[in-house]
Amino acid sequence: MAAESTKNGGESRISGIIKRYYNRHMNQPSNMTDYEKEYREFSLSVPERFSFPIDVFDKWEDRLALFWTDGITEKRFTFNELKILSSKGAGAFKKMGVKKEDKVLVMLPN
C-alpha cells in the first residue's frame, strides 16, 4: 500500500530535504522563553462536532500524511491509506470486544 523505495548508499532526495530543513530551522534559538508559562496558558479550540477522520482524512485523502525514513528505506502514506489502516485496526478491536470509550493500550516495537 505505501510507496517504498530503498536507496543503496548515498542520501535520498527526501532525507536530504529533511536534513536541510532541520539545519535551517532547528538550529535557531527558541522563541519560547518561559516553558511553564506557555504550558499553563496553552489552549486548543476544537469545534464541538469535530471528527479527525472526517474533517482531515476525508478532506485531504490524496495528500501525503506520513513520511518515514531510517536513512535507507523510505515509506510514504496518504491520508486515505492511513484511513484504511485505521479502519482495519478499529475492526480488529471491535472483534476483540472493545467498545466505544473503552481504554486501550497499544505497544509498538521500535
Side-chain angles (χ1 to χ4, degrees), residues 11-27:
E11 179 180 278
S12 73
R13 186 177 75 79
I14 297 297
S15 60
I17 291 169
I18 292 169
K19 285 178 184 176
R20 283 192 299 280
Y21 176 87
Y22 180 85
N23 289 335
R24 185 178 310 127
H25 298 284
M26 303 309 280
N27 289 333

Side-chain angles (χ1 to χ4, degrees), residues 36-49:
E36 296 299 324
K37 179 181 178 215
E38 294 287 338
Y39 183 83
R40 276 193 316 274
E41 295 178 1
F42 178 79
S43 69
L44 183 60
S45 177
V46 178
E48 185 178 330
R49 310 262 320 149

Side-chain angles (χ1 to χ4, degrees), residues 41-79:
E41 295 178 1
F42 178 79
S43 69
L44 183 60
S45 177
V46 178
E48 185 178 330
R49 310 262 320 149
F50 179 78
S51 167
F52 201 85
I54 294 170
D55 295 326
V56 176
F57 281 51
D58 288 350
K59 183 177 179 182
W60 296 344
E61 64 182 18
D62 293 326
R63 286 180 162 173
L64 180 65
L66 177 66
F67 170 80
W68 176 91
T69 184
D70 62 1
I72 298 169
T73 303
E74 298 175 352
K75 295 182 182 180
R76 294 169 181 80
F77 296 89
T78 65
F79 281 96

